[in-house]
């Protein structure tokens, strides 16, 4: 499981002054200003005119209110707008920036403009302001870029100024990402020698490290230490990482034990419960526990508002268990809901139909979705192409493949066997010009390199295409065994962000 900086305490590390931190929401005037800022949308729209107009109207504004607006904007990843408020606060309102204000502004500059400008900002702040928080932000910048040497140099400087659990967490995660496992034990030893306490993020990172290494003995030891530490407030995420590690190691019963513990903590949590439900559903499916998937889904519906992302999680979980019938029932629930028509929801079911050769059902579902205003995705057309190849409906396969190639972003690589089947069909059909037009489309979209395109064009006329094309697919890094279809599904799952959850925020 990937750990972002926000997931090992960065937001907590970058807190404002004590006064601001105790304000749970902007005061009335600040809240009204935030309501003006919130609907402005994308980062291309500047919010500075709104801030200026507020002042021109003679409205008062305290520093703490601006700090809370920045905090809210950062919470929703509106980093450019947060930076505009931060810079306006110091440049136009002439508020004296605290050490924490400077650290927050440094972090925002790095997110909006990159590490180079963040370095310039850091180098130009007064020496007295280069405190632990500012160095910590710079450390995190280098860690995001996987710049090990620069991060280690900052870490050494922080050894002189004073270190926190957060800084060790950043370095541990960096060493994990760069696979410098030999440095991890030394860093853990340093934490123990200096009395730096482990927090839940430390344990999560270590569990990820040992899961990567399939070291279940160390995973067990970390879980036991985590559970026995009275200073650590556990959450569902640490156990979910342990569960994944045990699943990958083939220890199903141990994984189930971790999932149960994760579920118990999730049910007592007040934050990110939908995300936890979604994750646990998929993990129960991974270990083949359909009853647990359905039980948790019913519980999810009773306790949380359900969004598209959750429907996708349960449908893909059931398809992983090869239960199309139950997935269809869940789809009907979604289809009758009033949620935004996200084509990703039916698309997973369409993919399953195509893999099983149920092309009529796939076509019917696509037609039904389009009647509701849904627009098929690039993945949809590729699923159809692969399905038509399997049932030997090659004219339809060619047409679907062309639409898929046109719809995907340049550089996409299809499954080798599907592409070879299409090329072989065109050759047998005897229409060389159509075949070459097809190859030109693949070249134009970056599916094939120029060299491979030229060789295949030649083979279309005077060679055994199947034997030669398969070798060329390998040479051009096109999928060999149909893994492209599976990767598309992983890509779709990876693209799932907050959909309706972020709509209508004010």
């Amino acid at each position: 499981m990937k750990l972002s900086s926000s997931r090992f305490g960065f937001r907590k590390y970058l807190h404002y002054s004590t006064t601001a931190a105790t304000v749970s929401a902007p005061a009335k005037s600040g809240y009204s200003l935030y309501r003006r800022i919130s609907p402005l949308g994308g980062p291309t729209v500047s919010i500075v005119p709104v801030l200026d107009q507020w002042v021109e109207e003679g409205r008062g504004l305290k520093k703490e209110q601006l700090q809370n607006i920045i905090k809210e904007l950062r919470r929703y990843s509106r980093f450019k707008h947060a930076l505009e408020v931060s810079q306006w606060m110091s440049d136009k309102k002439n508020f004296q920036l605290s050490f924490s204000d400077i650290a927050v502004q440094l972090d925002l500059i790095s997110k909006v403009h990159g590490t180079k400008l963040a370095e310039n900002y850091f180098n130009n702040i007064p020496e007295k302001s280069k405190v632990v928080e500012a160095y910590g932000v710079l450390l995190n910048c280098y860690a995001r870029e996987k710049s090990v040497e620069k991060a280690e140099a900052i870490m050494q400087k922080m050894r002189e100024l004073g270190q926190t659990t957060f800084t060790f967490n950043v370095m541990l995660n960096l060493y994990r990402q760069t696979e410098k496992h030999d440095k991890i034990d030394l860093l853990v030893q340093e934490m123990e020698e200096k009395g730096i306490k482990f927090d839940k993020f430390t344990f999560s990172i270590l569990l990820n490290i040992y899961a990567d290494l399939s070291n279940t003995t160390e995973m067990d030891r970390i879980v036991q230490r985590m559970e026995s530490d009275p200073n650590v407030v556990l959450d569902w995420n640490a156990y979910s990482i342990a569960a994944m590690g045990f699943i990958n190691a083939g220890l199903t019963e141990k994984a189930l034990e971790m999932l149960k513990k994760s579920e118990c903590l999730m049910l007592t949590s007040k934050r990110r419960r939908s995300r936890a439900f979604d994750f646990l559903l998929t993990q129960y499916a991974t270990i083949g526990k359909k009853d647990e998937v359905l039980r948790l889904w019913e519980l999810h519906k009773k306790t949380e508002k359900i969004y598209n992302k959750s429907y996708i999680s349960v449908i893909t979980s059931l398809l992983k268990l090869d239960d199309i019938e139950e997935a269809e029932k869940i789809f009907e629930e979604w289809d009758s809901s009033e949620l935004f028509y996200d084509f990703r929801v039916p698309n997973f079911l369409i993919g399953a139909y195509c893999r099983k050769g149920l092309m009529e059902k796939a076509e019917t579902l696509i037609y039904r979705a389009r009647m509701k205003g849904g627009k098929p995705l690039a993945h949809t057309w590729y699923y159809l192409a692969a399905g038509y190849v399997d049932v030997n409906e090659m004219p339809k396969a060619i047409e679907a493949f062309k639409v898929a190639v046109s719809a995907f972003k340049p550089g996409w690589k299809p499954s080798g066997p599907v592409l070879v089947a299409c090329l072989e069909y065109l050759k047998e059909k005897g229409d060389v010009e159509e075949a070459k037009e097809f190859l030109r489309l693949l070249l134009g979209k970056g599916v094939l390199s120029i060299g491979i395109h030229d060789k295949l064009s030649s083979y279309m006329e005077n060679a055994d295409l199947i034997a030669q094309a398969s070798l060329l697919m390998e040479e051009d890094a096109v999928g060999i065994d149909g893994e492209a279809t599976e990767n598309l599904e992983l890509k779709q799952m990876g693209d799932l962000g907050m959909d309706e959850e972020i709509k209508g925020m004010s």
Side-chain angles (χ1 to χ4, degrees):
M1 179 179 286
K2 182 180 178 181
L3 284 173
S4 64
S5 59
S6 63
R7 293 186 61 192
F8 49 80
F10 188 58
R11 289 176 184 167
K12 184 178 179 181
Y13 179 78
L14 275 186
H15 63 277
Y16 281 116
S17 65
T18 304
T19 303
T22 58
V23 181
S24 58
K28 187 173 181 180
S29 62
Y31 180 66
S32 298
L33 175 57
Y34 181 74
R35 293 192 61 149
R36 287 192 188 183
I37 291 172
S38 181
L40 291 182
T44 56
V45 180
S46 174
I47 62 174
V48 171
V50 177
L51 299 170
D52 290 339
Q53 182 181 355
W54 184 269
V55 174
E56 289 170 5
E57 292 172 0
R59 296 174 181 269
L61 200 58
K62 296 180 180 180
K63 179 182 177 182
E64 290 84 357
Q65 293 165 343
L66 291 170
Q67 288 175 324
N68 276 278
I69 289 172
I70 293 169
K71 182 179 178 181
E72 284 298 298
L73 291 171
R74 290 177 70 231
R75 179 184 172 195
Y76 295 114
S77 299
R78 295 176 62 176
F79 301 121
K80 185 175 183 294
H81 287 162
L83 178 59
E84 287 181 344
V85 177
S86 176
Q87 292 176 329
W88 185 86
M89 183 170 74
S90 57
D91 298 346
K92 291 198 175 182
K93 290 294 289 181
N94 295 317
F95 283 124
Q96 185 70 35
L97 296 184
S98 67
F99 294 150
S100 293
D101 292 325
I102 291 171
V104 168
Q105 192 167 114
L106 174 61
D107 174 60
L108 291 170
I109 289 171
S110 75
K111 287 184 168 71
V112 176
H113 299 298
T115 300
K116 187 63 179 176
L117 285 183
E119 286 177 325
N120 293 341
Y121 177 85
F122 179 84
N123 291 333
N124 288 319
I125 62 176
E127 285 299 319
K128 66 178 182 180
S129 298
K130 293 179 180 178
V131 294
V132 172
E133 290 89 347
Y135 275 104
V137 173
L138 199 57
L139 174 69
N140 196 51
C141 291
Y142 293 141
R144 279 203 305 264
E145 293 193 345
K146 297 182 176 61
S147 300
V148 175
E149 289 186 8
K150 288 186 175 183
E152 288 178 335
I154 294 295
M155 186 67 169
Q156 186 57 40
K157 180 66 178 177
M158 296 185 75
R159 287 186 171 96
E160 302 168 11
L161 297 174
Q163 295 162 296
T164 64
T165 303
F166 168 76
T167 58
F168 279 94
N169 288 345
V170 171
M171 291 304 298
L172 283 170
N173 200 50
L174 174 60
Y175 288 148
R176 179 205 171 205
Q177 291 177 330
T178 54
E179 297 184 353
K180 295 188 179 297
H181 300 132
D182 56 314
K183 297 189 176 187
I184 290 169
D185 289 341
L186 292 175
L187 207 59
V188 171
Q189 183 180 341
E190 184 181 349
M191 290 182 73
E192 292 172 339
E193 290 174 352
K194 292 183 175 180
I196 305 291
K197 293 181 179 179
F198 288 22
D199 62 13
K200 63 181 181 180
F201 303 108
T202 315
F203 288 119
S204 292
I205 295 166
L206 291 174
L207 284 169
N208 261 306
I209 289 168
Y210 295 125
D212 292 342
L213 299 172
S214 297
N215 190 336
T216 57
T217 301
E218 282 300 309
M219 286 174 59
D220 263 328
R221 186 180 67 82
I222 293 299
V223 168
Q224 290 172 14
R225 178 171 176 176
M226 177 178 72
E227 291 175 336
S228 62
D229 191 331
N231 297 311
V232 174
V233 179
L234 296 175
D235 64 14
W236 68 271
N237 184 60
Y239 283 116
S240 71
I241 295 170
M244 283 196 303
F246 288 124
I247 288 172
N248 292 335
L251 301 177
T252 303
E253 290 306 312
K254 193 71 177 177
L256 184 59
E257 177 189 343
M258 295 297 107
L259 289 174
K260 290 293 185 181
K261 289 183 177 182
S262 180
E263 184 179 335
C264 287
L265 288 173
M266 178 267 292
L267 293 174
T268 61
S269 172
K270 295 181 180 179
R271 296 180 66 248
R272 295 184 175 181
R273 280 168 53 115
S274 287
R275 177 173 169 271
F277 270 112
D278 294 342
F279 175 82
L280 290 171
L281 281 170
T282 60
Q283 293 309 299
Y284 278 130
T286 300
I287 59 175
K289 302 293 184 181
K290 186 174 80 170
D291 290 345
E292 297 292 342
V293 170
L294 296 175
R295 175 189 62 79
L296 200 61
W297 174 244
E298 291 302 317
L299 181 61
H300 191 6
K301 290 191 292 184
K302 290 177 183 176
T303 57
E304 303 291 320
K305 185 173 182 179
I306 305 298
Y307 296 101
N308 285 340
K309 186 178 179 182
S310 293
Y311 276 106
I312 290 172
S313 294
V314 69
I315 287 173
T316 54
S317 294
L318 291 166
L319 293 176
K320 185 183 294 185
L321 293 163
D322 200 28
D323 192 341
I324 286 185
E325 185 177 342
E326 199 66 48
E328 288 173 330
K329 291 178 183 177
I330 303 295
F331 171 77
E332 294 300 334
E333 286 182 23
W334 172 80
D335 198 43
S336 62
S337 72
E338 296 181 356
L339 292 172
F340 166 74
Y341 203 96
D342 185 341
F343 207 94
R344 291 174 300 180
V345 181
N347 206 46
F348 286 101
L349 201 51
I350 291 165
Y353 289 150
C354 291
R355 286 191 296 276
K356 288 185 172 293
L358 304 173
M359 302 311 296
E360 187 175 341
K361 295 191 80 169
E363 292 166 354
T364 300
L365 184 51
I366 291 172
Y367 176 80
R368 177 178 165 187
R370 296 179 83 168
M371 289 299 99
K372 289 202 168 188
K375 182 180 179 181
L377 307 172
H379 309 85
T380 312
W381 298 109
Y382 182 73
Y383 291 151
L384 284 174
Y388 287 136
V389 167
D390 287 342
V391 298
N392 201 32
E393 292 188 43
M394 294 309 299
K396 287 185 176 181
I398 296 292
E399 292 309 309
F401 198 100
K402 287 179 180 178
V403 178
V405 172
S406 298
F408 273 110
K409 294 180 180 179
W412 165 71
K413 300 293 184 181
S415 162
V418 175
L419 178 53
V420 170
C422 290
L423 292 172
E424 182 64 23
Y425 169 76
L426 290 173
K427 183 183 179 185
E428 290 178 355
K429 185 180 176 184
D431 191 336
V432 175
E433 188 53 42
E434 182 183 358
K436 289 188 174 182
E437 180 185 342
F438 184 69
L439 288 172
R440 283 194 292 271
L441 173 63
L442 300 179
L443 174 65
K445 294 293 289 188
V447 176
L448 299 178
S449 64
I450 294 176
I452 302 303
H453 166 270
D454 292 345
K455 289 179 181 179
L456 284 175
S457 294
S458 175
Y459 293 145
M460 292 300 292
E461 298 179 0
N462 54 28
D464 178 1
L465 181 65
I466 291 181
Q468 298 298 332
S470 295
L471 291 173
L472 291 173
M473 294 304 102
E474 293 188 48
E475 184 179 330
D476 214 30
V478 175
I480 304 304
D481 56 1
E483 75 271 15
T485 304
E486 180 181 348
N487 288 341
L488 289 182
E489 300 222 339
L490 292 174
K491 175 65 166 62
Q492 286 188 89
M493 291 300 291
D495 285 344
L496 296 180
M498 297 173 68
D499 33 298
E500 286 81 2
E501 292 98 321
I502 63 173
K503 293 184 178 179
M505 285 180 179
S506 59

